[in-house]
Amino acid sequence: MATAKHTTGTRSLTSLVKEDADLMKVLVKEAVQAFLEAEMDSCIGAGPSERTDARRGYRAGYYQRNLITRVGTIELRVPRDREGRFSTELFDRYQRSEKALVLALAEMYIQGVSTRKVAHITEQLLGEDISASMVSACSRRLDDMLTAFASRPLETAYPYVYLDARYERVREDGVVRSQAVFVALGVDERGHRAVLAVETAPRESEETWTTFLEGLTGRGLSGVQLVISDDHAGLRKAIPKIVGGLWQRCSVHFLRNALSHAPKSIDRQCIEELKRIHDAPSLTAARTMLREWITAWQDRYSALVDFVESSMDETLTFFAFPPQHRRHIRSTNVLERLNEELKRRTKVVRIFPNQASLLRLSRAVACEIHEQWMDDQPYLSMNLLEGAISLSVSQVA
């Protein structure tokens, strides 16, 4: 049955938002208030005035609390229960990343590199005039919390570890430079995803990646069976030295690299057949498909075929692991959620006023996502991993 498209309603809402600057604040307030009420219902096992045998307590009114958001400060009524058992992490989780973003804008304003629009935004969100001392005090409180997160001991094993770096622009001594943001994610022995570390460095190199990985092992990183990353030369040298385990070259990065060896007018069938190799049911089948692909395309695209033939095995390590895990461990796509959230915030700032500001915002977003993942269902069934590895390092090298 065809689904109706409510385009008229969408246009109407868009028009209302444009006409009424306070409407978005009202919508956010109502959504957050509804979330708080639902949390209280779950805590005491009953809705307001509801009679049920599952009830575990009773409401005791509300107290006022402000929440700073990018649409302004919203006033909320936080429910209370008689026993004082109810608590919500909504404010801490939401405001870490929001405060980090606002502080970055405020630092820009103080340094005189922002616009009046930035000043208006920061004053609205912080609820007071901006001063260097106020920003410094807010930064210290947030940094203490994020440093504790970033330096926490890694007390469980992480069989799968994903590594990547992205670049942001930072103003240093009046000059805008690129800074690398290093990120490590892991899947622990219970199958939960976790943000293991977020750090910044001037660039990617064997030295900076080695320092980053030594920080992880120094905090207790252990039990690593597979590291998934792109093909950065410095990172590849650092992984076996510091972390160990097998290495999986990200299949998505690999395909992007392969396209750089092909003409823009390449036959789409050639690329589709190459992609399907990673969907093969086994390593033997993948290598058979690879040989057939090479035979079919080597005359037309010799440079591409040479690259694939010399590098493809590095992307097939994931076949050594359980079939149910393979789609999740053949690339660094699990990092995309974090990268998208970072991108959404960093595009507001564009150029960070200093490296500390970049690290603060990156860690705040990472901490927020990490806590959500801890509350989620397991990402993978790790009981499948025991005794499942069927290839040796020499076979997949």
Side-chain angles (χ1 to χ4, degrees):
M1 183 173 70
T3 303
K5 295 182 179 180
H6 302 289
T7 53
T8 303
T10 302
R11 283 197 300 270
S12 176
L13 179 58
T14 303
S15 300
L16 283 170
V17 171
K18 289 181 179 178
E19 292 167 8
D20 186 351
D22 291 328
L23 177 60
M24 188 57 70
K25 184 188 293 188
V26 172
L27 294 175
V28 171
K29 178 178 179 178
E30 290 182 356
V32 175
Q33 188 69 54
F35 179 83
L36 290 171
E37 298 293 349
E39 275 195 313
M40 174 58 86
D41 290 351
S42 176
C43 175
I44 66 174
S49 303
E50 182 182 3
R51 295 185 178 182
T52 170
D53 293 337
R55 177 182 287 279
R56 295 183 295 274
Y58 293 89
R59 286 171 171 75
Y62 296 84
Y63 66 92
Q64 298 295 125
R65 172 71 188 268
N66 291 341
L67 178 64
I68 298 172
T69 77
R70 272 170 288 167
V71 296
T73 301
I74 58 176
E75 297 178 357
L76 297 168
R77 298 171 68 239
V78 183
R80 288 188 291 206
D81 66 306
R82 292 180 186 176
E83 293 78 20
R85 292 186 298 110
F86 175 71
S87 65
T88 176
E89 297 179 355
L90 170 72
F91 299 106
D92 290 338
R93 287 192 180 190
Y94 186 75
Q95 286 194 290
R96 275 195 294 263
S97 58
E98 291 296 304
K99 283 180 179 177
L101 175 60
V102 172
L103 287 169
L105 296 173
E107 287 175 315
M108 290 168 59
Y109 174 70
I110 289 169
Q111 292 180 14
V113 296
S114 63
T115 64
R116 283 182 296 175
K117 181 179 179 181
V118 169
H120 172 71
I121 292 172
T122 50
E123 286 181 13
Q124 182 186 31
L125 293 181
L126 291 170
E128 54 186 292
D129 292 337
I130 302 167
S131 68
S133 59
M134 181 271 292
V135 171
S136 178
C138 289
S139 297
R140 280 197 303 273
R141 288 195 296 270
L142 187 54
D143 286 345
D144 288 345
M145 184 187 304
L146 295 175
T147 299
F149 166 72
S151 59
R152 73 193 189 281
L154 302 176
E155 297 174 335
T156 185
Y158 291 91
Y160 298 138
V161 173
Y162 304 80
L163 301 172
D164 198 13
R166 54 177 286 124
Y167 282 84
E168 298 292 345
R169 294 185 297 171
V170 175
R171 193 182 306 274
E172 291 183 332
D173 302 322
V175 179
V176 177
R177 297 185 174 91
S178 289
Q179 286 281 329
V181 180
F182 291 178
V183 179
L185 303 186
V187 178
D188 67 21
E189 55 194 358
R190 297 177 301 131
H192 286 281
R193 290 170 291 177
V195 179
L196 304 181
V198 178
E199 301 289 349
T200 57
R203 65 189 183 282
E204 289 184 85
S205 66
E206 181 180 355
E207 180 182 1
T208 55
W209 272 117
T210 296
T211 300
F212 179 74
L213 296 179
E214 285 176 341
L216 284 169
T217 56
R219 288 167 47 210
L221 178 65
S222 63
V224 179
Q225 297 189 31
L226 182 69
V227 178
I228 306 99
S229 75
D230 66 10
D231 187 42
H232 187 276
L235 176 55
R236 285 194 61 179
K237 292 178 181 177
I239 288 171
K241 277 195 311 183
I242 311 301
V243 179
L246 300 178
W247 176 63
Q248 164 70 28
R249 180 173 180 173
C250 173
S251 59
V252 174
H253 284 89
F254 169 79
L255 289 169
R256 291 174 188 161
N257 296 151
L259 287 175
S260 67
H261 297 270
K264 291 183 179 179
S265 58
I266 188 171
D267 191 322
R268 292 304 305 172
Q269 183 179 347
C270 174
I271 299 302
E272 291 304 317
E273 289 178 1
L274 180 59
K275 288 180 180 178
R276 281 198 290 271
I277 294 172
H278 290 119
D279 295 322
S282 67
L283 179 61
T284 300
R287 285 180 169 157
T288 299
M289 292 170 68
L290 176 59
R291 286 194 297 270
E292 292 172 351
W293 181 87
I294 290 171
T295 301
W297 300 104
Q298 59 186 352
D299 291 339
R300 289 182 62 181
Y301 306 119
S302 59
L304 170 63
V305 169
D306 288 346
F307 170 79
V308 170
E309 190 172 16
S310 65
S311 307
M312 187 72 168
D313 268 358
E314 297 169 347
T315 73
L316 303 180
T317 314
F318 71 95
F319 280 108
F321 295 85
Q324 298 89 335
H325 292 187
R326 290 173 185 172
R327 182 172 60 87
H328 302 281
I329 62 173
R330 70 189 191 191
S331 74
T332 56
N333 278 355
V334 68
L335 282 156
E336 287 308 303
R337 166 75 190 284
L338 178 57
N339 283 334
E340 285 301 315
E341 286 298 310
L342 282 171
K343 191 185 303 180
R344 188 163 67 86
R345 266 92 164 180
T346 58
K347 72 180 181 182
V348 177
V349 182
R350 292 181 58 249
I351 301 173
F352 283 84
N354 50 55
Q355 188 171 353
S357 179
L358 169 60
L359 182 59
R360 182 182 305 121
L361 180 57
S362 300
R363 282 181 173 173
V365 173
C367 185
E368 188 176 284
I369 290 175
H370 171 84
E371 290 177 341
Q372 291 170 1
W373 282 344
M374 290 294 101
D375 288 341
D376 286 347
Q377 294 297 315
Y379 182 62
L380 295 173
S381 298
M382 300 305 282
N383 61 312
L384 299 170
L385 191 58
E386 295 180 14
I389 298 180
S390 58
L391 299 178
S392 67
V393 177
S394 61
Q395 283 177 295
V396 296

